[in-house]
Amino acid sequence: MKKYDYLIVGGGLFGAVFAHQAMASGKRCLIIDKRPHIGGNIYCEEVDGIRVHKYGAHIFHTDNKEVWDYVNRFVEFNRYTNSPLAYYKGVLYNLPFNMNTFSKLWEVNTPAEAKAKIEEQRGEYADIECPANLEEQALKLCGKDIYEIFIKEYTEKQWGRSATELPAFIIKRIPFRFTYDNNYFNDGYQGIPKGGYNVLIQGLTEGADVLLNTDYFKSRAELDALADHVLYTGCIDEFFDFKYGHLEYRSLRFEHELMNISDFQGNAVVNYNERAFPYTRIIEHKHFEFGCQPHTVITREFPSDFFVGCEPYYPVNDATNTVLLNRYKKLAEELPNVLFGGRLAQYAYFDMDDTVAAALDMARNSFKY
Ligand SMILES: Cc1cc2nc3c(=O)[nH]c(=O)nc-3n(C[C@H](O)[C@H](O)[C@H](O)COP(=O)(O)OP(=O)(O)OC[C@H]3O[C@@H](n4cnc5c(N)ncnc54)[C@H](O)[C@@H]3O)c2cc1C
């Protein structure tokens, strides 16, 4: 008999939820991660008493009551409500696009005035039948001012390409809210775990054996020999040794700064839309937890090209990569003892609630409860 029922490659949210459910079904689990910590991208690092979202700001939000109740079994959530701001040419605007945004943009006061202004702005663009690129699509949906102030330069920084070279499908719709409500999410539940995401991950993985600084591909045969099954949550193309080529990603670079002032920007998230700023947003972490420290930590987030060795953040779900992904998926289907789950193995962007829901589904199918 092997020592473990499951070798779980990757101690991120997907691996942690699956491990918890496996252990609840009496399975023995070994979690390995190549990083020096578990938690994957939701891991927080404490800097002078402030929890820093090391791999990008994470706000938990969901409409799925099962998922909300599940995560609340491990940690209580605070009442943080995401209300980001956007900075453009010296002015701060509220997001998501709502009456506060419209009144600052156009000095309109009522929903009817705002709707009329948007229609006027869309003008001739509204008649574009098949937008040929992201620029045409955005102009058709929201008109000139919103496109130029909020979308054009921000999106070009994010993707590293001109808006006229980007495909229209990147923007499917632009949500407008005609009330004075700055709550970014429409979901019924949101917040930040009290004590941070690490508390959630610790609760989920309690009882599992964990090996850190352990890259699956450096000791694959020895690790496989330890368990009957593998749950793999790393990059799917790497699992197959990039046999058909590399899947493309956009990456991010983070610059963290500890500052000797109590408050830098008065809000957790401020986007910087202009091209003149090489970063897309500044996160001030203490505001996620209503911190009162005399100092603060901010993080500037720089979009960057992906190259082998840097963190894969956003999949590029275009036609070429989809064809490649489907070829890898075919190979994966031929391996009955290996499960593929999570954002890297699925090559998809998933919010945390979708990640939890998908891991619960996989566990239900595997353990028939
Ligand atoms: C910048 C950014 C911001 C986000 N913000 C939000 C948000 O506000 N709200 C929200 O709901 N969602 C957000 N998300 C999504 C969220 O990060 C994901 O839902 C979640 O992290 C997915 O968990 P995972 O376990 O699939 O992947 P990951 O967290 O990436 O975990 C995968 C783990 O596998 C390990 N691994 C990979 N390869 C190997 C190997 N060869 N050997 C050993 N270990 C390996 C990695 O080190 C990593 O720890 C955001 C994502 C990004 C990129």
Side-chain angles (χ1 to χ4, degrees), residues 70-294:
Y70 183 80
V71 292
N72 274 273
R73 277 168 49 194
F74 303 95
V75 64
E76 205 183 324
F77 282 70
N78 71 16
R79 55 151 194 88
Y80 175 79
T81 301
N82 196 32
S83 315
L85 295 163
Y87 178 90
Y88 190 79
K89 304 222 163 133
V91 183
L92 278 169
Y93 298 92
N94 290 105
L95 296 176
F97 302 132
N98 71 76
M99 285 305 298
N100 288 308
T101 332
F102 306 138
S103 65
K104 204 162 209 177
L105 261 177
W106 301 312
E107 293 177 0
V108 293
N109 293 326
T110 65
E113 286 168 357
K115 285 177 189 171
K117 189 74 191 175
I118 290 170
E119 282 318 301
E120 178 196 312
Q121 287 269 317
R122 289 175 71 222
E124 69 207 79
Y125 307 117
D127 300 329
I128 302 174
E129 270 200 15
C130 292
N133 52 50
L134 185 143
E135 176 163 295
E136 287 188 10
Q137 169 79 330
L139 285 167
K140 178 181 166 73
L141 293 170
C142 65
K144 193 166 161 293
D145 288 355
I146 291 181
Y147 172 63
E148 285 180 355
I149 294 174
F150 297 98
I151 297 175
K152 181 177 161 53
E153 294 170 52
Y154 186 88
T155 312
E156 289 181 341
K157 282 197 285 189
Q158 241 186 350
W159 290 98
R161 279 158 70 185
S162 145
T164 52
E165 289 167 18
L166 286 165
F169 76 79
I170 292 183
I171 298 184
K172 292 199 174 64
R173 50 187 278 275
I174 296 175
F176 295 125
R177 193 179 283 160
F178 294 99
T179 54
Y180 288 87
D181 177 4
N182 296 326
N183 178 357
Y184 193 76
F185 298 117
N186 291 318
D187 290 339
Y189 311 101
Q190 72 175 300
I192 302 286
K194 288 187 177 171
Y197 287 97
N198 299 2
V199 178
L200 172 63
I201 293 293
Q202 269 150 23
L204 286 165
T205 55
E206 201 179 312
D209 287 344
V210 176
L211 285 178
L212 299 176
N213 300 305
T214 304
D215 188 329
Y216 178 60
F217 298 107
K218 295 209 169 122
S219 334
R220 190 169 184 165
E222 294 95 304
L223 289 164
D224 281 346
L226 294 175
D228 293 324
H229 307 271
V230 175
L231 164 65
Y232 178 77
T233 72
C235 294
I236 189 166
D237 51 358
E238 192 176 9
F239 188 91
F240 296 106
D241 203 17
F242 307 107
K243 183 182 167 117
Y244 300 133
H246 289 255
L247 288 163
E248 284 177 293
Y249 283 90
R250 280 293 283 168
S251 193
L252 292 171
R253 185 170 61 78
F254 301 105
E255 277 182 12
H256 308 287
E257 189 182 348
L258 172 63
M259 303 174 100
N260 231 346
I261 52 172
S262 63
D263 204 336
F264 175 72
Q265 60 186 18
N267 204 43
V269 184
V270 178
N271 290 1
Y272 282 78
N273 296 354
E274 283 163 74
R275 191 176 300 114
F277 298 93
Y279 40 87
T280 44
R281 52 184 194 164
I282 297 184
I283 305 301
E284 188 167 13
H285 301 268
K286 68 191 301 182
H287 295 305
F288 287 129
E289 302 189 50
F290 319 113
C292 300
Q293 298 86 346

Side-chain angles (χ1 to χ4, degrees), residues 37-75:
H37 57 75
I38 50 172
N41 280 359
I42 68 173
Y43 171 76
C44 294
E45 192 166 76
E46 208 155 308
V47 178
D48 247 343
I50 295 173
R51 268 178 287 275
V52 171
H53 297 208
K54 189 176 159 95
Y55 303 97
H58 278 77
I59 299 125
F60 200 98
H61 60 97
T62 190
D63 243 351
N64 183 331
K65 178 134 180 13
E66 186 202 358
V67 167
W68 182 246
D69 290 342
Y70 183 80
V71 292
N72 274 273
R73 277 168 49 194
F74 303 95
V75 64

